[in-house]
Amino acid sequence: MYSAILDKISKYDKISIFRHQRPDGDAMFSALALAGFLEENFPEKTIKVAGEDEYDIISRNDEVPTSFIQESLAFVLDTSTSDRIDDDRALQASFIIKIDHHPIDDPYGGINLVDASAAACAQILAQMFLSEEFSSLKLSQKTCEYLYSGIVTDTINFRTTNVNSDTLLIASKLVREGDLQVAEIVETVMDKDIDHFILATKIRNRLKIKGHFGFIIFREKDLEKLGISQMEAKNNIDEIGKIKDLQIWSIASEKDGLFDVSVRSKRGHVINTVCTAYGGGGHRNAAACKKLNRKQLKTMYETLTKMSDEIPV
Ligand SMILES: [Mn+2]
């Protein structure tokens, strides 16, 4: 598949790079890594990074005319389904290469490089750049740094359940290849500012526990009081992780009477099936669903409470 991808790259002068809406570190750093890698190795080609939404540490949103996309080879990164692409004009591209690690079957690309066992999309990209097929191409320090940053942010510095020997091996190769300062990168991408710390304290104080299930439900008025959006509330789910007594944890936040729900769990408690039952999805230990009414949320949380007391498989 790597040769097929190289072959496609060689055939196009215009390359566009897409990521998912509301990009996280993996989506943004993967896009930056791929763009930089292509620019350094193929200076005669024009590379554009599409997308409107920004990521708080670093962003690149190029001006991309529709005609450019239509004539281009499009890479879509870290995006499980085509409706989640930040800029749906990606689907008009001359050829699409999907590169992703979400366990969802939506092969919207002409080539689909999907590895659900990879801990991050950046890990899949790194594996490709480090492969035999790509060995004649240059892998710069900056590209290594972006890829490493993508892996660190998606795995919360190598502590999610999908981290395995491949993740560490590839991370190690990036550190060696790019002569990376690991502690410095982790500081840059993981440290939070003081406003976030104060907000996190307020969020943690709202934690409720039933069995081995911990949860916070934010009503619309709670969000108003805290001065945060529904999205910001959900993004703080890691603040109620790392607790010995909890097997499953979740944040639900309300908008117009309906709740968006994010769920995390420890190894052995597979919770994406629960989210799928409510129209959502995700990884085994990290999943979400949207627009649940109060009754659905209650039923879902009862299920998760029960699951949290079961002995993990
Ligand atoms: Mn990812």
Side-chain angles (χ1 to χ4, degrees), residues 20 24 26-27 78 101-102 119-121 154 283:
H20 61 75
D24 52 14
D26 190 25
D78 199 34
H101 70 124
H102 294 90
C121 180
D154 234 32
H283 305 282

Side-chain angles (χ1 to χ4, degrees), residues 23 30 34 59 89 91 96-97 120 124 133 145 166 182 203 242 255 276 281-282 288:
S30 291
L34 178 60
S59 286
R89 294 178 303 160
L91 300 171
I96 296 176
I97 297 177
I124 302 175
E133 290 88 335
E145 190 188 308
D166 285 338
V182 170
I203 288 175
K242 301 176 208 162
K255 197 180 178 187
T276 310

Side-chain angles (χ1 to χ4, degrees), residues 101-103 116 118 154 162 271-272 281-287:
H101 70 124
H102 294 90
D154 234 32
N162 53 4
I271 45 81
N272 56 352
H283 305 282
R284 292 163 62 92
N285 303 108

Side-chain angles (χ1 to χ4, degrees), residues 86-98:
D86 186 8
D87 196 335
D88 52 20
R89 294 178 303 160
L91 300 171
Q92 298 179 38
S94 167
F95 193 88
I96 296 176
I97 297 177
K98 173 189 182 181

